[in-house]
Amino acid sequence: MKNKTAHKVATPVFNVNENVSLEEQIAHRAHELWQHRGREHGSDLGDWLRAEREVNDWHQKRLQSKTQSNAGLASG
């Protein structure tokens, strides 16, 4: 008898396209999350809110990184 192991599928890698609006970035990520869940309907708001959080976090980290780099240049 074979042991069945539940394989956890990794969430798709998050990439931001800065050439589109913030809303489009969020919509694209929400779509990726929906696809990752097997295209099951009923969690669109949850996907949107998660995507919004991920996109905003990404931009916040990018801004902090730029600010730290600029501070390093100014003090050097």
Side-chain angles (χ1 to χ4, degrees), residues 23-71:
E23 186 174 356
E24 288 177 274
Q25 293 171 23
I26 294 166
H28 179 76
R29 181 58 178 164
H31 184 75
E32 287 178 339
L33 294 170
W34 172 71
Q35 287 180 319
H36 176 72
R37 284 187 308 94
R39 297 180 175 144
E40 294 176 13
H41 294 282
S43 297
D44 51 328
L45 179 59
D47 289 341
W48 183 271
L49 294 174
R50 178 178 170 182
E52 190 173 52
R53 187 173 53 253
E54 289 180 5
V55 169
N56 286 329
D57 287 349
W58 185 89
H59 282 287
Q60 187 66 35
K61 287 176 185 173
R62 184 173 166 269
L63 181 62
Q64 287 173 351
S65 174
K66 279 187 171 184
T67 303
Q68 289 172 352
S69 293
N70 289 341

